[in-house]
Amino acid sequence: YPIGLPAWGERQVTEPFVLVEIRGRHYYLAGSPSVLLGHRIARTHGDPPDGIFAEWKWDGASVTASNDRYGFYPLFYYATPTKICISPSLVKLVEVGASTELDEEALAVFLRLGFFLAEDTPFKAIRALPPNAHLRWQGGCLEVRGGWNMPASRTMSWDETIDRYIELFREVIRVRLPSVADFAIPLSGGRDSRHILLELCRAGYCPKFTVTVWGFPPSNHPDIEIARFVSRELGVEHVILPRTPSRLGLELTKNVMTSFCSIEHAWYLPMVNYLDGRASVVFDGIGGDVLSGESTRFNADLVGLFRSRRWRKLSDQLLGRHDILLSNLLPARRYRGFDRAVATRRLIQELERHADAPNPVGSFLFWNRTRRSVALVPYAMINRVVRVLSPYVDRDLFDFVTSISAELLLHGQLHTEAIRRAFPRFAHIPFSRKRAVVSHRQHFRRFAAEIVRYALSEPTPWFRRSTLFPFLAWCTVTGERRGHHTLILYLIQLQRFVRAIQEGRNVPRKSLQRTVS
């Protein structure tokens, strides 16, 4: 996997970017003046396009940028009265000059949730473009418009809701039928990818292959055998990718590819590597579970807390229990910036924005975790090698599902029932459920030992060495996963990236061309 480590940045990130700077009476330019990333799907009647995309354009006097309705395609920017820089890579923005001052409030939430809220990033100067955004920078003045709209609640019976879901999803697939034969479907044992596969095969478009990758421990879903069974029933080749023994390189590469915006997803890199050159299009099931109320994070307790507006208790449940770990490993001054009270205050601000949604839990999760973290799998990782289509965020289907009340979704399993009703021939095939977690001590011993070697290669001033290394050594000996290895590794790598930039290493010396007088 292409990253020079353990020292940070033995290669520079080659993501596209545009940098425009005012010097006196002249504009100077570096990077690409015009870029369109992702794909658009035209709609009738003059409606805005569907699809997942981001774009910018420099016309000689102003920089404009926009993105898709959901903000799934990551696009970051920083702006001052004299310059603006835009890129799908936060790392690239820092390399070309963005401030490395940390946004401690945003990180306080991230270190507990594993994803950033709204437009937050690890750095104060850098923001993510909001959904449905329109950015304009001219003469040093910045304007950013955009955001998501609150859907109106819809009243339907349970049976009507299932039938409408089936009808809409069938139409979604019809307008996204692939124009190439070499398309593939990453297939799990769950609902989202199976529904896509079944509808495509029903329409006469069977994929070249389906592919499933073993996840990291302690995840122990029976995805492999169920995905194999589904593929065999449909007569489609099924590829199984083995678990990668060494995890360190995957995690470090993932952090760069996702712009330090997700704790998850390193396990998916073997999938990205395998798809390269073997397929030109893949269908991804992003959004299916959280929109239909079948996410493991959706439950009646959270809905009740939203409805009663008990923000502090709700935030307490969501933030988890990382505080003991953080307070033990981080110096007191560093921990104060990431304190739980700081995270609680920021999280409550975001929770309140979703209080009146028909499904407030789903709304919060979709516009934060799904948009800012899960979307990085298809649109910061897979899209580097193939084109990615995401049927569940089709405009009509999305507007319908987000109008369903949380109480109705709690009534049953919408997506499960829709698949079984639409495809009774395959109703006997179960969906994966979490099994009892078995011991994976060898995996975590190796991972902890890798982190120790990585941490010893350079100073770690963000940590108390007196507690970090004994703790990692204990994890190496016992194989316990309570070390929260990925969180520790993330902070070490982020600290090294900041330090490298501050010391002037790996900062590209791009020549700026004067473009307009």
Side-chain angles (χ1 to χ4, degrees):
Y1 297 96
I3 185 167
L5 293 163
W8 164 263
E10 292 177 8
R11 70 177 186 93
Q12 292 169 359
V13 174
T14 57
E15 301 285 3
F17 74 101
V18 62
L19 171 62
V20 177
E21 184 174 346
I22 302 173
R23 296 181 184 174
R25 295 188 303 168
H26 304 291
Y27 288 106
Y28 289 78
L29 169 73
S32 304
S34 180
V35 165
L36 172 62
L37 305 165
H39 67 280
R40 287 193 178 99
I41 298 175
R43 291 175 58 90
T44 57
H45 310 301
D47 290 337
D50 260 340
I52 307 300
F53 60 89
E55 62 181 336
W56 68 73
K57 182 178 181 181
W58 162 248
D59 62 9
S62 64
V63 177
T64 56
S66 60
N67 62 358
D68 59 84
R69 192 186 191 209
Y70 312 101
F72 271 15
Y73 205 108
L75 203 61
F76 303 94
Y77 68 95
Y78 84 92
T80 73
T82 60
K83 71 171 67 173
I84 185 170
C85 190
I86 303 173
S87 176
S89 168
L90 175 151
V91 172
K92 173 57 71 176
L93 295 188
V94 175
E95 285 186 343
V96 299
S99 169
T100 57
E101 181 183 359
L102 297 179
D103 189 334
E104 292 185 330
E105 184 179 67
L107 280 165
V109 176
F110 177 84
L111 295 176
R112 293 168 173 86
L113 290 183
F115 55 89
F116 285 101
L117 301 178
E119 285 71 63
D120 292 349
T121 78
F123 303 105
K124 283 186 176 181
I126 299 176
R127 305 293 290 170
L129 212 61
N132 197 29
H134 298 276
L135 175 150
R136 184 180 184 86
W137 183 89
Q138 184 172 16
C141 297
L142 175 69
E143 178 188 10
V144 181
R145 295 180 287 111
W148 49 273
N149 296 319
M150 185 77 69
S153 185
R154 187 189 306 261
T155 302
M156 296 182 75
S157 71
W158 181 243
D159 280 340
E160 290 173 330
T161 301
I162 294 173
D163 288 340
R164 183 61 175 155
Y165 190 102
I166 295 170
E167 176 187 347
L168 284 171
F169 193 74
R170 191 153 286 169
E171 177 64 15
V172 166
I173 295 298
R174 188 191 69 78
V175 300
R176 287 168 174 78
L177 292 174
S179 58
V180 295
D182 63 334
F183 73 95
I185 298 179
L187 186 65
S188 71
R191 297 149 185 80
D192 305 336
S193 56
R194 186 184 305 185
H195 200 175
I196 294 171
L197 175 62
L198 291 172
E199 280 293 352
L200 283 169
C201 290
R202 188 197 68 83
Y205 290 77
C206 286
K208 179 181 178 182
F209 59 87
T210 61
V211 55
T212 309
V213 60
W214 278 101
F216 291 140
S219 298
N220 195 24
H221 301 272
D223 280 0
I224 299 294
E225 53 262 42
I226 292 178
R228 182 194 293 122
F229 187 27
V230 172
S231 300
R232 186 168 60 240
E233 289 279 299
L234 290 165
V236 177
E237 179 188 359
H238 180 232
V239 178
I240 301 172
L241 303 180
R243 181 178 291 147
T244 305
S246 176
R247 185 167 175 175
L248 179 72
L250 299 183
E251 293 287 348
L252 296 172
T253 302
K254 174 268 299 180
N255 286 339
V256 177
M257 293 174 75
T258 61
S259 294
F260 289 101
C261 285
S262 180
I263 291 293
E264 306 174 89
H265 311 324
W267 67 275
Y268 215 85
L269 277 169
M271 178 81 76
V272 177
N273 188 52
Y274 182 81
L275 290 171
D276 191 7
R278 292 183 172 88
S280 57
V281 174
V282 299
F283 285 79
D284 187 81
I286 184 172
D289 58 350
V290 67
L291 292 175
S292 62
E294 297 200 36
S295 166
T296 55
R297 298 167 184 255
F298 176 74
N299 59 64
D301 289 342
L302 293 181
V303 173
L305 291 173
F306 257 111
R307 295 300 191 212
S308 60
R309 299 176 185 265
R310 299 170 66 185
W311 304 125
R312 190 159 295 278
K313 185 170 182 180
L314 177 57
S315 65
D316 190 55
Q317 286 202 19
L318 293 172
L319 289 173
R321 295 289 178 268
H322 289 309
D323 296 272
I324 295 177
L325 175 76
L326 292 172
S327 62
N328 284 338
L329 296 183
L330 302 180
R333 184 176 61 83
R334 175 66 63 187
Y335 177 73
R336 278 196 298 272
F338 302 148
D339 187 75
R340 189 181 184 88
V342 175
T344 298
R345 182 170 62 249
R346 175 68 187 95
L347 178 56
I348 289 176
Q349 290 174 351
E350 181 62 26
L351 293 172
E352 289 175 340
R353 299 175 64 203
H354 303 269
D356 297 322
N359 177 8
V361 178
S363 179
F364 167 77
L365 290 174
F366 180 85
W367 292 112
N368 290 280
R369 181 176 182 269
T370 303
R371 178 173 78 92
R372 294 300 314 280
S373 177
V374 181
L376 297 174
V377 173
Y379 296 108
M381 296 171 67
I382 303 177
N383 67 326
R384 295 169 183 265
V385 296
V386 296
R387 184 186 183 200
V388 185
L389 300 179
S390 302
Y392 291 100
V393 289
D394 174 89
R395 184 180 301 262
D396 293 335
L397 179 65
F398 179 86
D399 288 350
F400 170 73
V401 179
T402 54
S403 69
I404 303 172
S405 71
E407 287 73 18
L408 184 60
L409 291 174
L410 289 168
H411 172 77
Q413 295 180 303
L414 172 62
H415 205 180
T416 301
E417 293 305 317
I419 294 171
R420 288 173 174 166
R421 186 176 297 186
F423 299 96
R425 175 189 159 194
F426 301 95
H428 64 287
I429 304 177
F431 297 101
S432 65
R433 295 176 178 271
K434 284 188 176 182
R435 294 175 173 174
V437 175
V438 297
S439 173
H440 292 284
R441 293 183 183 275
Q442 183 177 357
H443 171 87
F444 288 107
R445 283 194 189 103
R446 176 169 182 165
F447 190 27
E450 290 176 329
I451 297 173
V452 169
R453 288 193 294 271
Y454 179 66
L456 286 171
S457 64
E458 285 190 27
T460 53
W462 287 10
F463 287 88
R464 294 176 177 172
R465 294 175 68 89
S466 60
T467 56
L468 173 64
F469 289 105
F471 188 70
L472 288 173
W474 176 81
C475 294
T476 302
V477 172
T478 64
E480 291 287 340
R481 67 176 292 262
R482 285 182 293 170
H484 304 284
H485 305 71
T486 53
L487 191 65
I488 294 172
L489 184 59
Y490 172 93
L491 281 173
I492 295 174
Q493 188 184 13
L494 180 63
Q495 166 247 305
R496 291 188 178 179
F497 172 57
V498 169
R499 182 181 176 189
I501 295 298
Q502 290 173 344
E503 292 180 354
R505 296 185 300 175
N506 308 313
V507 179
R509 285 162 169 70
K510 300 280 186 182
S511 60
L512 292 173
Q513 288 185 322
R514 191 174 77 183
T515 59
V516 175
S517 298

